[in-house]
């Protein structure tokens, strides 16, 4: 008999989930040491966790392994998104991730067509495990971080106006988009975290010609775009500066930029961002 109990997670497991998350990611290449309040906000807001599709491995009363999942439409397909997988030290090497996914797949097949996740490219151990489970690589993302002080950025105020935006104007923003975001930054998913997002737009008369959405507390840029006919006029730089001055953390991040989005990558590098890490997007057919 296995020493582990595999079961769906529940809302009252949140404290244990937080403790296990910190243990599992204590040596992760990117700092993941969230306070409980931020972890809870991330799980219930940004991820909008589906407890019935999220599973834990328990040794006695202790949560030692987990997979956190959300459910939404992604690229026109009903998809489950893995917002966190971890096994704490001392319990690794027991094939817990495989056991968790075995239980998950029995429940998930009637809910969605696929499961997607992102994994850092240097995490070869995790990639190998995911591939054994049945995931395959389907996309490549670059992740950027600002490591410099931004100088004030100005626009011709007779031509352009920086103003507050809102999620209700997403249809206008989507008309400016030139690339698809990863699952967690789609507008459908962003709606669950709207209270923690700041919306800023650039207008030319009554016309929206650029926008940026960011989390002021963390400095994470969620989405941004500028009208293709008005690029290289300083609109994007001014929007990033607005995120910079409104964010508590000045080391802004812009993650999961598709590798093919060369214009966006070039813009971020020109502003002063650095390519910090890269991630694979992986997909499992259910």
């Amino acid at each position: 008999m296995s020493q582990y109990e595999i079961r769906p997670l529940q809302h009252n497991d949140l404290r244990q989930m937080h403790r296990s998350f910190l243990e599992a990611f204590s040596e992760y290449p990117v700092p993941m040491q969230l306070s409980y309040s931020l972890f809870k906000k991330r799980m219930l807001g940004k991820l909008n966790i589906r407890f019935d599709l999220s599973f834990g491995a328990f040794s006695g009363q202790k949560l030692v392994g987990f997979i956190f999942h959300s459910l939404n439409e992604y690229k026109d397909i009903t998809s489950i998104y893995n917002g966190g997988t971890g096994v704490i030290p001392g319990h690794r090497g027991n094939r817990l991730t495989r056991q968790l996914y075995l239980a998950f797949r029995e429940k998930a097949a009637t809910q969605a067509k696929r499961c997607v996740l992102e994994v850092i490219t240097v995490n070869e151990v995790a990639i190998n495990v995911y591939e054994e489970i049945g995931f395959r690589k389907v996309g490549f993302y670059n992740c950027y971080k600002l490591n410099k002080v931004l100088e004030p950025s100005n626009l011709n105020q007779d031509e352009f106006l920086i103003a507050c935006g809102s999620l209700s104007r997403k249809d206008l923003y989507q008309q400016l988009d030139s690339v698809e975001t990863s699952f967690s930054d789609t507008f459908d998913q962003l709606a669950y975290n709207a209270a923690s997002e700041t919306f800023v737009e650039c207008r030319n008369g009554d016309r929206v010609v650029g926008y940026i959405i960011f989390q002021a507390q963390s400095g994470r840029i969620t989405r941004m775009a500028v009208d293709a006919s008005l690029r290289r006029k300083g609109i994007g730089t001014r929007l990033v500066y607005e995120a910079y001055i409104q964010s508590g953390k000045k080391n802004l991040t812009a993650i999961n930029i598709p590798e093919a989005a060369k214009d966006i990558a070039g813009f971020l590098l020109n502003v002063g961002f650095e390519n910090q890490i890269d991630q694979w997007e992986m997909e499992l057919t259910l």
Side-chain angles (χ1 to χ4, degrees):
M1 180 180 294
S2 172
Q3 63 172 310
Y4 300 104
E5 176 194 3
I6 308 294
R7 66 163 173 82
L9 293 168
Q10 303 168 2
H11 193 281
N12 59 12
D13 291 320
L14 270 170
R15 284 282 183 186
Q16 276 220 76
M17 289 162 58
H18 177 240
R19 289 192 292 267
S20 297
F21 177 87
L22 295 182
E23 285 190 65
F25 288 97
S26 61
E27 300 173 354
Y28 203 58
V30 180
M32 302 285 280
Q33 299 304 296
L34 302 175
S35 66
Y36 175 68
S37 62
L38 286 177
F39 175 81
K40 182 178 180 181
K41 181 182 290 187
R42 176 176 173 173
M43 288 293 107
L44 302 182
K46 184 68 175 175
L47 181 61
N48 188 42
I49 189 170
R50 280 283 299 265
F51 287 100
D52 59 321
L53 296 173
S54 302
F55 284 75
F58 291 80
S59 177
Q61 298 299 311
K62 184 177 177 63
L63 177 64
V64 298
F66 54 82
I67 48 176
F68 302 148
H69 285 129
S70 182
L71 175 71
N72 216 323
E73 294 297 306
Y74 178 49
K75 298 180 181 178
D76 299 320
I77 299 174
T78 303
S79 305
I80 293 170
Y81 173 72
N82 180 325
T85 298
V87 177
I88 70 174
H91 292 269
R92 294 169 183 164
N94 294 314
R95 303 178 68 85
L96 285 182
T97 301
R98 297 167 184 82
Q99 293 182 54
L100 289 165
Y101 263 98
L102 181 63
F104 159 77
R105 291 187 77 163
E106 292 180 2
K107 186 71 173 290
T110 60
Q111 304 270 344
K113 299 292 186 182
R114 65 179 175 184
C115 180
V116 294
L117 57 78
E118 296 107 30
V119 57
I120 293 177
T121 56
V122 297
N123 193 346
E124 295 182 2
V125 172
I127 292 169
N128 289 337
V129 170
Y130 290 135
E131 289 181 332
E132 287 181 21
I133 290 169
F135 282 89
R136 61 188 180 90
K137 297 170 183 171
V138 294
F140 190 85
Y141 293 128
N142 304 127
C143 303
Y144 296 88
K145 185 175 184 180
L146 181 69
N147 288 313
K148 62 173 284 188
V149 175
L150 285 187
E151 298 298 327
S153 175
N154 297 312
L155 277 175
N156 183 340
Q157 295 184 7
D158 293 331
E159 186 176 6
F160 300 110
L161 172 68
I162 299 298
C164 292
S166 73
L167 182 61
S168 65
R169 294 166 69 81
K170 68 177 183 179
D171 290 345
L172 295 174
Y173 303 155
Q174 286 179 305
Q175 294 175 20
L176 305 175
D177 294 334
S178 58
V179 298
E180 291 186 295
T181 68
S182 59
F183 180 100
S184 61
D185 292 332
T186 63
F187 276 110
D188 284 343
Q189 192 66 20
L190 187 154
Y192 298 116
N193 200 51
S196 298
E197 305 275 354
T198 300
F199 298 77
V200 176
E201 59 190 45
C202 179
R203 302 175 191 162
N204 175 227
D206 294 331
R207 178 184 166 206
V208 175
V209 296
Y211 78 92
I212 189 167
I213 303 170
F214 58 94
Q215 297 165 36
Q217 186 172 13
S218 66
R220 183 188 181 300
I221 296 173
T222 304
R223 301 178 66 103
M224 71 171 295
V226 173
D227 188 308
S229 67
L230 291 171
R231 290 174 186 167
R232 297 179 176 82
K233 292 183 178 293
I235 295 172
T237 303
R238 179 64 181 84
L239 289 169
V240 169
Y241 183 70
E242 192 67 25
Y244 178 80
I245 61 176
Q246 289 197 38
S247 293
K249 294 184 178 179
K250 301 307 180 185
N251 297 120
L252 302 179
T253 57
I255 72 169
N256 292 346
I257 306 301
E259 184 184 30
K262 302 298 184 184
D263 287 350
I264 296 175
F267 165 76
L268 290 170
L269 293 171
N270 186 57
V271 171
F273 285 77
E274 297 176 358
N275 185 188
Q276 182 186 28
I277 58 169
D278 299 315
Q279 296 203 113
W280 289 109
E281 182 179 51
M282 303 187 75
E283 176 181 300
L284 173 69
T285 302
L286 297 174

